[in-house]
Amino acid sequence: MKILVTGGAGFIGSAVVRLAVARGHEVVNLDALTYAANLENVASVTNSPLYSFEEADIRDRAALDRVLEKHRPDAIMHLAAESHVDRSIDGPGAFIETNVNGTYNLLEAARAYWLAAGKPEGFRFHHISTDEVFGSLGEEGQFTETTPYDPRSPYSSSKAASDHLVRAWHETYGLPVVLTNCSNNYGPFHFPEKLVPVVILNALSGKPIPVYGDGGNVRDWLYVEDHADALLLVLEKGEIGRSYNIGGENEAKNIDLVRTICAEMDRLRPESAPHDALISFVTDRPGHDRRYAIDPTRIRTELGWRPSVTVEEGLRKTVEWYLANEDWWRPLLERQGVGERLGKA
Ligand SMILES: NC(=O)c1ccc[n+]([C@@H]2O[C@H](COP(=O)([O-])OP(=O)(O)OC[C@H]3O[C@@H](n4cnc5c(N)ncnc54)[C@H](O)[C@@H]3O)[C@@H](O)[C@H]2O)c1
């Protein structure tokens, strides 16, 4: 397949690009190279004849038309987004422009391209979204694909809006779409403003490790390479018009996740143990969802997919990767807002 991946210079998009190329797909990576992007994430495939890059913004319809006409992909995997909840609290505008208007632009460009090509049967528009669109759970229960949407942050509401647009373009225009809603990812190449890399890098440099609120917020953690694997499976085997929840089957409280990372750091850097002494509870994020949990029954039973690693195994690999790749993360600490407390409203 020839796949146009939007947001392929970001964290998850780059994992999709690397895996798709490794599996012999042709990949066009379309990315606007925002603060969150890093072309080093795809350095391992840059010289492959299967890989090409287009610097373009999904808010720019003419650019999208040009890229689609030039490369004529069989499928689009749409991951480009503003993705950091704390930044969405400080500046929601960019989230509406990229996640809502940008997705609208891409849908319209895809529809025009698909129509002009005579509605090829195999064409797919795969929209990648988050479990955050479902809102916050209590102590019990899990999100299924039919859970009503109840987003509570500017980020999750912009993603919810984009999901609705994608479904509408299928129902109204027949665009062959598939959707996925995934839980929190972690792993190599994660931008150092997100929880897991913040914990690793602060532990490494002896800085306080910030934990929001009481640390009791629960997330279902998924290793990013498992997510990329699930996404390619849904692209190839998912039913048109259907959505699939993707989870790691690894629910953990933030504080327990942080302590697990600290224990890994104690193992790998015993001279500065115990790293959990650096934990510092800070003011909670406004509107902080308490618990997310994914019911993965549909993707497991219909497509036969399961995550390949436990959170302990995945965190071990992730910590080892950060310790071995200072050249990757060190320059990113200089980017605007990184290392600052954002989103206090
Ligand atoms: N990170 C998670 O835990 C998680 C979980 C579930 C779903 N998702 C979804 O997966 C997708 C990717 O998330 P991520 O964590 O890799 O994000 P990321 O912030 O690491 O990467 C986003 C990429 O999109 C690009 N981009 C942003 N605005 C753009 C625009 N206007 N035009 C073109 N490119 C643009 C950026 O340059 C960057 O390379 C997002 O849609 C996100 O909502 C993320």
Side-chain angles (χ1 to χ4, degrees):
M1 248 194 284
K2 188 178 207 179
I3 308 170
L4 177 73
V5 177
T6 73
F11 169 48
I12 302 171
S14 67
V16 170
V17 168
R18 295 189 304 269
L19 186 64
V21 169
R23 292 197 179 158
H25 297 296
E26 229 178 298
V27 173
V28 181
N29 176 6
L30 182 155
D31 200 295
L33 301 182
T34 71
Y35 83 93
N38 190 351
L39 285 173
E40 289 297 315
N41 299 2
V42 289
S44 62
V45 298
T46 305
N47 291 328
S48 166
L50 295 174
Y51 175 82
S52 54
F53 176 69
E54 293 282 352
E55 184 172 347
D57 195 310
I58 59 166
R59 294 169 297 180
D60 178 352
R61 171 66 194 273
L64 297 178
D65 289 341
R66 188 168 17 84
V67 170
L68 285 168
E69 195 44 49
K70 177 174 164 194
H71 292 281
R72 307 201 64 76
D74 304 309
I76 297 173
M77 297 179 79
H78 176 35
L79 296 102
E82 290 291 340
S83 71
H84 189 36
V85 177
D86 287 342
R87 288 187 191 255
S88 85
I89 295 168
D90 292 338
F95 288 71
I96 304 304
E97 284 171 23
T98 283
N99 300 358
V100 185
N101 297 345
T103 299
Y104 159 72
N105 257 330
L106 187 64
L107 282 165
E108 279 295 79
R111 182 165 76 94
Y113 164 72
W114 171 70
L115 280 174
K119 300 187 180 179
E121 213 174 283
F123 182 77
R124 293 289 180 279
F125 184 105
H126 181 174
H127 179 62
I128 285 80
S129 190
T130 165
D131 62 352
E132 301 190 29
V133 299
F134 299 120
S136 185
L137 290 165
E139 295 291 312
E140 300 292 318
Q142 291 181 314
F143 299 132
T144 71
E145 289 78 2
T146 56
T147 300
Y149 276 34
D150 185 22
R152 292 152 33 100
S153 76
Y155 164 66
S156 57
S157 58
S158 69
K159 290 297 293 187
S162 67
D163 293 11
H164 292 320
L165 293 174
V166 172
R167 285 200 180 86
W169 260 241
H170 171 63
E171 296 295 338
T172 306
Y173 304 113
L175 191 70
V177 308
V178 284
L179 298 93
T180 46
N181 294 85
C182 184
S183 59
N184 279 49
N185 283 218
Y186 67 96
F189 302 103
H190 206 180
F191 193 75
E193 66 182 352
K194 303 279 174 78
L195 178 63
V196 170
V198 164
V199 176
I200 299 169
L201 300 183
N202 284 22
L204 187 61
S205 58
K207 287 191 195 152
I209 297 171
V211 174
Y212 290 178
D214 64 359
N217 304 70
V218 175
R219 301 292 182 260
D220 178 0
W221 293 92
L222 176 65
Y223 192 60
V224 67
E225 291 172 9
D226 278 344
H227 187 195
D229 176 57
L231 292 177
L232 286 175
L233 182 67
V234 170
L235 180 72
E236 285 168 22
K237 303 254 168 67
E239 190 182 310
I240 289 175
R242 203 154 172 79
S243 70
Y244 298 84
N245 284 357
I246 307 172
E249 299 180 34
N250 275 307
E251 266 189 62
K253 284 186 180 159
N254 284 351
I255 186 64
D256 294 333
L257 183 95
V258 170
R259 288 194 196 286
T260 306
I261 297 170
C262 288
E264 272 310 314
M265 289 295 295
D266 291 349
R267 184 178 70 82
L268 294 160
R269 291 284 190 276
E271 63 282 6
S272 43
H275 293 89
D276 64 2
L278 296 168
I279 291 173
S280 162
F281 292 94
V282 300
T283 320
D284 208 354
R285 167 192 284 164
H288 199 180
D289 292 335
R290 190 67 182 169
R291 178 171 165 260
Y292 304 140
I294 289 272
D295 175 351
T297 305
R298 178 176 289 178
I299 191 163
R300 191 195 298 163
T301 56
E302 294 183 13
L303 304 182
W305 182 84
R306 291 197 81 149
S308 74
V309 293
T310 63
V311 76
E312 290 75 20
E313 291 164 341
L315 284 175
R316 173 164 292 199
K317 290 206 247 186
T318 305
V319 173
E320 286 170 354
W321 187 88
Y322 276 86
L323 296 186
N325 286 281
E326 182 168 350
D327 288 355
W328 179 86
W329 54 260
R330 176 74 61 193
L332 301 178
L333 301 181
E334 304 303 319
R335 294 200 182 173
Q336 183 269 324
V338 177
E340 289 170 29
R341 174 68 201 267
L342 302 171
K344 283 202 287 192

